[in-house]
């Protein structure tokens, strides 16, 4: 997903504004300390629906009434406007989609938001934003019943920000790599979400995981029931023999002694009945028949729901692909027909009525195209409907169980027998009891402990496992780690990394996000690498490699931008100017440090161009810096001098 930042705007309560425009590729904002550079990360993070504001208190929060970021998403634009914390509306936001970067965005005024609704972020604005960028997985849990503390719930744009920001206190940190990973729950969630964020798995994967666990539980239960049934054969034979013997006594017949359970069941299914009551039915029979009919209807309802679930799984992806094609078609459409100058080719006179009709047609086309483009990569999640159908399915299954129990109860209840007033009713009752009892025994064997049922469950599990193999998470892990390793080592070779640690062998494990360098002495952790230059080189290598991994995965939903705050601080802990240095040794060191900073920008630009060459997408890297040099002047979009009262505000 090609998501970059096009514009940042801050409005005050009088409608006055401060803005910055960004482009693809390398964007450098340089200047003195305390000019507002670092606040840019916090404003962008705030407009990505952070639950709290980290925008520095002072000039920016005093001025800012509304913070706006315009995101470029493939071929359209999303404008997010979020009121400042001081307004009391930080739980609300504006969101608007535009098909073109026109004057309303280029020269944005506070009036742009007059016709937009200020809506709740949670379950509204943020959800809509995520749908436009293709984030529509509503359940990351791999089980139907999950502890609330471990409930991962819906995938969120907030799960991507750890890959987007490197603050000045993080860019060369030896103890931490990723933004806000001090929160253990957030760290675990991001790590577990990585395959989804990079597009390796989707919502169906998690549903298959849930099905797999449920099927394994069912198989385990089925095996227990089979064992119990095997151990209860003697009791079953005794109970059935006594029941048939009672019936035979009523009709003056004698039952053979040496009959097997199978023989008894055959007799019970074909019980002899006196001719005088052959065509009669007892109330018990009628009641059982009513329950059986009701149960058959439930089976039909269950079949309809199962068919609907199958259809939903097959069609969920089609709508999303169709919406993407509409946006792709629109991106190639140009409507430049001048409908006001059509004239007769013979007499050169204008035809007003035709011109008016064409104008109406053009307006209608433009409205239609705008509506189509607003589909963008809009992706609706069928999971809520699927969950509802599954809930109804379970409800019907429970009702079937209840009906079956009622049938069994009617067949074995002694009360009906005791209330029978004559021999005819007793015979009919006992016959119905035995037949229902045998039916219950058969169901217990065939449905709750039959080897065929167990085989079916195992076959179902095999199908689920086969579908899971299509995702191949192990291959995703191996390929991703191999890709990161190759690129980290390649990038780090170009940066300032100590010779004594070479040859470079950087490794990253995507299962726990552990990072280490390996040499003849074994694994070396980041905090053991010994210098700020090594830590900076490691951070840059990791994040540039992740940027490349993100963009090469076409289904990735991680934005294609990276913001680095003061990577030069390793070489210039405090802002200093060359003309202020008098010591020759310090001057030589300054020049060497400048060369290292120049090299950082050179590497950043090389990686941007390499990614563009390999993927066709040009990522965006924004560097907030206080070092300045003419060699990277062409990438500088802002240069703030504090003595000239320049800055974000």
């Amino acid at each position: 997903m090609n998501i970059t930042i096009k514009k940042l705007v801050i409005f005050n309560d009088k409608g006055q504004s401060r803005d910055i425009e960004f482009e693809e590729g390398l964007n450098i904002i340089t200047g003195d300390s305390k000019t507002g550079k670092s606040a840019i990360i916090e404003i962008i993070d705030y407009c990505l629906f952070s639950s709290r504001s980290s925008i520095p208190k002072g000039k920016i929060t005093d001025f800012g009434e509304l913070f706006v970021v315009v995101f470029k998403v493939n071929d359209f634009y999303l404008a997010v406007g979020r009121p400042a914390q001081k307004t009391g509306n930080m739980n609300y936001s504006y969101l608007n989609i535009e098909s073109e970067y026109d004057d309303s965005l280029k020269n944005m005024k506070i009036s742009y938001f007059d016709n937009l609704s200020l809506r709740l972020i949670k379950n509204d604005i943020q959800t809509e934003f995520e749908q436009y960028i293709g984030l529509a997985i509503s359940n990351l849990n791999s089980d139907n019943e999950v502890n609330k503390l471990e409930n991962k719930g819906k995938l969120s744009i907030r799960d991507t920000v750890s890959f987007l920001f490197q603050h000045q206190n993080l860019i060369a940190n030896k103890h931490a790599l990723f933004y806000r990973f001090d929160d253990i729950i957030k760290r675990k969630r991001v790590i577990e979400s990585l395959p989804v964020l990079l597009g390796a798995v989707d919502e169906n994967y998690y549903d298959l995981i849930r099905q797999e666990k449920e099927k394994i539980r069912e198989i385990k239960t089925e095996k227990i029931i089979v064992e119990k049934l095997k151990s209860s054969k003697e009791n079953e034979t005794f109970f059935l023999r006594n029941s048939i013997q009672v019936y035979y006594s009523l009709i003056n017949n004698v039952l053979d002694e040496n009959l097997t359970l199978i023989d008894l069941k055959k007799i019970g299914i074909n019980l002899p009945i006196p001719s005088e009551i052959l065509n009669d039915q007892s109330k018990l029979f009628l009641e059982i028949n009513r329950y059986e009919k009701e149960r058959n209807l439930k089976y039909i309802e269950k079949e309809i729901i199962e068919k609907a679930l199958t259809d939903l799984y097959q069609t969920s992806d089609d709508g999303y692909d169709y919406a993407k094609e509409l946006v792709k078609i629109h991106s190639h459409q140009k409507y430049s027909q001048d409908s006001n100058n059509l004239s007769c080719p013979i007499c050169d006179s204008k035809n007003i009525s035709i011109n008016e009709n064409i104008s109406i047609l053009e307006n209608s086309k433009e409205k239609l195209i705008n509506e189509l483009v607003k589909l963008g990569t809009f992706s609706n999640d069928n999971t809520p409907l699927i969950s509802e159908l599954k809930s109804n399915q379970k409800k019907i299954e429970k009702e079937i169980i209840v009906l079956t129990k009622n049938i069994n109860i009617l067949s074995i209840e002694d009360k009906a027998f005791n209330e029978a007033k004559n021999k005819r009713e007793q015979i009919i009752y006992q016959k119905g009891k035995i037949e229902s009892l045998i039916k219950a025994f058969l169901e217990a064997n065939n449905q709750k402990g039959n080897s065929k049922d167990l085989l079916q469950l195992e076959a179902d599990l095999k199908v689920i496992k086969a579908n899971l193999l299509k995702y191949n998470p192990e291959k995703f892990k191996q390929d991703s780690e191999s890709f990161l390793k190759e690129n980290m080592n390649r990038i780090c070779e170009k940066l300032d990394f100590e010779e004594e640690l070479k040859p470079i062998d950087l490794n990253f494990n995507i299962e726990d996000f552990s990072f280490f360098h390996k040499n003849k002495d074994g694994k070396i952790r980041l905090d053991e690498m010994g210098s700020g230059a090594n830590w900076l080189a490691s951070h840059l290598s990791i994040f540039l490699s992740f940027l490349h991994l993100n963009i090469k995965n076409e289904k990735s939903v991680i934005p294609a931008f990276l913001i680095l705050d003061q990577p030069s601080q390793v070489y210039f802990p405090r802002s200093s100017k060359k003309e202020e240095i008098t010591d020759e040794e310090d001057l030589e060191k300054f020049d060497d440090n400048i060369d290292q900073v120049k090299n950082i920008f050179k590497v950043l630009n090389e990686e941007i161009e390499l990614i563009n060459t390999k993927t066709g997408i040009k990522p965006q890297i924004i560097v907030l810096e206080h070092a300045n040099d003419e060699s990277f002047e062409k990438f500088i979009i802002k240069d703030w001098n504090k003595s000239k009262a320049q800055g974000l505000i």
Side-chain angles (χ1 to χ4, degrees):
M1 180 63 65
N2 190 6
I3 306 169
T4 53
I5 299 165
K6 187 62 182 172
K7 192 180 185 72
L8 182 151
V9 189
I10 308 172
F11 290 103
N12 69 5
D13 56 357
K14 296 177 182 177
Q16 296 172 326
S17 65
R18 303 289 186 270
D19 65 89
I20 306 172
E21 282 207 11
F22 301 90
E23 299 297 333
E24 294 177 334
L26 185 58
N27 295 252
I28 301 174
I29 297 176
T30 186
D32 297 329
S33 297
K34 298 182 180 179
T35 51
K37 298 187 302 297
S38 296
I40 291 170
I41 287 184
E42 310 302 345
I43 293 170
I44 293 169
D45 190 34
Y46 188 61
C47 288
L48 282 173
F49 313 110
S50 172
S51 60
R52 56 191 175 91
S53 171
S54 301
I55 301 170
K57 301 287 185 182
K59 285 185 179 180
I60 297 171
T61 52
D62 290 343
F63 178 88
E65 188 82 6
L66 180 69
F67 297 96
V68 181
V69 175
V70 178
F71 297 94
K72 186 177 187 294
V73 183
N74 292 345
D75 298 317
F76 62 94
Y77 299 86
L78 290 173
V80 176
R82 191 166 179 193
Q85 185 176 8
K86 66 183 179 183
T87 66
N89 287 324
M90 71 174 293
N91 293 327
Y92 296 82
S93 183
Y94 296 103
L95 177 65
N96 198 35
I97 181 169
E98 299 282 1
S99 57
E100 303 289 342
Y101 189 65
D102 55 15
D103 188 65
S104 66
L105 294 179
K106 288 178 184 176
N107 301 301
M108 182 179 280
K109 308 294 183 188
I110 191 71
S111 57
Y112 177 87
F113 298 93
D114 286 349
N115 296 322
L116 299 178
S117 299
L118 192 61
R119 292 150 51 197
L120 269 171
I121 290 174
K122 190 174 181 181
N123 298 325
D124 191 350
I125 286 283
Q126 184 176 340
T127 300
E128 186 177 336
F129 179 92
E130 290 165 351
Q131 287 174 327
Y132 278 122
I133 67 171
L135 258 170
I137 298 182
S138 66
N139 190 359
L140 286 173
N141 297 321
S142 58
D143 205 341
N144 289 324
E145 295 179 7
V146 182
N147 187 299
K148 289 183 179 180
L149 293 175
E150 297 179 355
N151 194 332
K152 292 183 279 293
K154 184 182 182 301
L155 192 68
S156 162
I157 187 65
R158 299 303 306 164
D159 296 316
T160 71
V161 298
S162 294
F163 303 99
L164 308 180
F165 306 131
Q166 280 279 283
H167 293 71
Q168 60 178 288
N169 63 347
L170 189 62
I171 187 103
N173 194 310
K174 68 176 181 178
H175 299 295
L177 285 168
F178 292 91
Y179 176 50
R180 290 189 176 171
F181 261 33
D182 53 329
D183 183 334
I184 295 174
I185 294 175
K186 178 177 177 61
R187 173 191 170 92
K188 183 179 178 183
R189 177 183 169 87
V190 171
I191 293 172
E192 292 181 352
S193 300
L194 183 64
V196 194
L197 296 173
L198 289 176
V201 300
D202 53 22
E203 63 195 53
N204 191 45
Y205 171 78
Y206 288 95
D207 189 53
L208 286 169
I209 292 290
R210 289 190 290 273
Q211 289 182 44
E212 181 186 39
K213 289 185 176 181
E214 188 172 340
K215 201 63 65 177
I216 289 171
R217 282 196 293 266
E218 288 179 7
I219 289 172
K220 185 178 179 181
T221 302
E222 197 73 18
K223 286 180 176 179
I224 292 171
I225 291 172
V226 168
E227 291 303 315
K228 284 184 177 179
L229 284 171
K230 285 179 181 177
S231 65
S232 65
K233 288 296 181 185
E234 289 186 11
N235 291 334
E236 187 178 327
T237 303
F238 177 78
F239 190 39
L240 186 56
R241 178 187 297 280
N242 285 350
S243 298
I244 294 175
Q245 186 61 63
V246 171
Y247 181 81
Y248 267 40
S249 298
L250 290 171
I251 61 173
N252 300 316
N253 275 7
V254 178
L255 185 67
D256 289 342
E257 287 293 329
N258 301 316
L259 294 174
T260 65
L261 180 61
I262 294 174
D263 293 333
L264 290 169
K265 286 181 178 178
K266 286 179 180 178
I267 293 172
I269 292 171
N270 300 288
L271 287 170
I273 186 168
S275 58
E276 64 269 17
I277 61 170
L278 190 61
N279 298 317
D280 201 3
Q281 285 185 315
S282 69
K283 291 181 181 179
L284 180 67
F285 248 46
L286 292 172
E287 192 71 7
I288 291 172
N289 189 51
R290 180 175 71 82
Y291 279 129
E292 287 180 338
K293 286 180 179 178
E294 189 174 347
R295 184 172 61 178
N296 288 337
L297 289 174
K298 294 297 177 185
Y299 278 129
I300 293 170
E301 288 180 37
K302 181 171 175 283
E303 184 180 351
I304 291 170
I305 289 175
E306 289 171 348
K307 185 178 184 303
L309 283 168
T310 301
D311 292 343
L312 274 174
Y313 282 130
Q314 291 175 346
T315 58
S316 61
D317 288 337
D318 295 344
Y320 173 61
D321 292 337
Y322 177 65
K324 286 204 297 188
E325 286 304 313
L326 286 175
V327 174
K328 191 184 295 182
I329 291 169
H330 172 67
S331 68
H332 298 293
Q333 299 297 318
K334 300 292 179 185
Y335 296 91
S336 56
Q337 175 69 44
D338 185 0
S339 62
N340 295 319
N341 296 312
L342 293 179
S343 59
C344 176
I346 298 173
C347 64
D348 202 41
S349 62
K350 291 186 178 180
N351 190 316
I352 296 172
S353 63
I354 291 178
N355 282 328
E356 288 177 346
N357 288 334
I358 289 176
S359 178
I360 293 170
L361 178 60
E362 289 296 321
N363 288 335
S364 298
K365 274 165 72 177
E366 186 61 25
K367 287 180 180 178
L368 175 60
I369 293 300
N370 283 335
E371 289 303 313
L372 289 177
V373 80
K374 286 181 181 180
L375 286 172
T377 51
F378 196 94
S379 172
N380 270 325
D381 179 25
N382 284 326
T383 307
L385 179 55
I386 290 171
S387 297
E388 183 181 352
L389 286 171
K390 285 187 174 182
S391 175
N392 290 338
Q393 182 186 29
K394 287 187 176 180
K395 181 181 176 184
I396 288 172
E397 288 172 350
K398 287 180 181 178
E399 290 173 347
I400 289 172
I401 291 171
V402 170
L403 288 169
T404 301
K405 284 182 179 178
N406 287 340
I407 292 169
N408 293 340
I409 289 170
L410 285 174
S411 68
I412 62 176
E413 203 171 50
D414 289 334
K415 184 179 178 182
F417 180 80
N418 294 330
E419 291 177 353
K421 293 182 180 179
N422 54 57
K423 189 173 182 178
R424 183 177 69 83
E425 288 179 347
Q426 291 175 18
I427 291 171
I428 292 172
Y429 163 76
Q430 191 66 16
K431 183 177 185 296
K433 173 183 174 180
I434 293 169
E435 289 177 348
S436 296
L437 182 62
I438 292 171
K439 205 173 200 180
F441 285 156
L442 290 174
E443 285 179 358
N445 284 317
N446 294 333
Q447 296 177 15
K448 293 294 182 183
N450 192 301
S451 60
K452 289 183 181 178
D453 233 27
L454 189 56
L455 289 173
Q456 183 60 54
L457 287 172
E458 289 171 341
D460 292 344
L461 180 61
K462 189 175 180 180
V463 171
I464 293 168
K465 287 182 178 293
N467 288 330
L468 279 170
L469 283 176
K470 295 175 185 176
Y471 294 95
N472 204 345
E474 187 57 37
K475 186 175 186 302
F476 164 75
K477 177 184 181 327
Q478 292 174 358
D479 290 350
S480 298
E481 290 179 353
S482 175
F483 183 88
L484 289 171
K485 179 183 178 67
E486 178 186 344
N487 283 275
M488 285 189 301
N489 291 339
R490 177 182 58 79
I491 294 166
C492 197
E493 283 284 0
K494 300 191 290 183
L495 295 167
D496 185 16
F497 197 75
E498 289 182 8
E499 286 295 327
E500 63 184 72
L501 289 177
K502 292 182 178 180
I504 297 172
D505 186 6
L506 303 182
N507 297 267
F508 192 92
N509 186 329
I510 65 170
E511 284 188 337
D512 59 10
F513 276 36
S514 59
F515 168 76
F516 59 90
H517 171 51
K518 191 188 294 183
N519 69 1
K520 58 180 173 30
D521 297 321
K523 292 182 180 180
I524 303 174
R525 299 191 311 268
L526 181 64
D527 61 354
E528 297 173 320
M529 290 184 190
S531 76
N534 290 338
W535 303 329
L536 174 63
S538 297
H539 277 255
L540 292 175
S541 299
I542 292 168
F543 276 82
L544 289 172
S545 299
F546 259 110
L547 184 63
H548 201 156
L549 178 65
N550 164 32
I551 294 173
K552 96 175 182 69
N553 286 287
E554 294 181 358
K555 293 184 178 181
S556 173
V557 293
I558 302 175
F561 66 82
L562 173 63
I563 305 180
L564 308 172
D565 191 2
Q566 296 188 26
S568 71
Q569 65 182 285
V570 168
Y571 304 101
F572 299 102
R574 294 178 298 276
S575 180
S576 57
K577 296 179 181 179
K578 187 173 182 178
E579 57 269 21
E580 297 173 355
I581 301 174
T582 55
D583 185 273
E584 193 169 319
E585 188 177 333
D586 289 342
L587 189 61
E588 185 178 340
K589 185 178 180 182
F590 184 93
D591 288 336
D592 180 61
N593 287 342
I594 280 289
D595 288 340
Q596 294 297 344
V597 175
K598 287 180 185 178
N599 185 56
I600 289 172
F601 291 119
K602 178 175 175 287
V603 171
L604 293 177
N605 192 51
E606 285 175 353
E607 291 306 308
I608 289 170
E609 295 302 327
L610 178 63
I611 293 171
N612 187 30
T613 300
K614 289 192 172 183
T615 67
I617 294 174
K618 195 169 190 177
Q620 183 182 63
I621 298 180
I622 299 169
V623 184
L624 312 172
E625 197 44 274
H626 60 239
N628 195 345
D629 188 86
E630 60 182 16
S631 63
F632 47 81
E633 187 176 351
K634 64 179 179 178
F635 302 115
I636 296 175
I637 60 172
K638 294 287 181 183
D639 186 0
W640 292 326
N641 189 323
K642 195 173 180 182
S643 65
K644 296 179 181 179
Q646 295 173 340
L648 182 58
I649 299 298

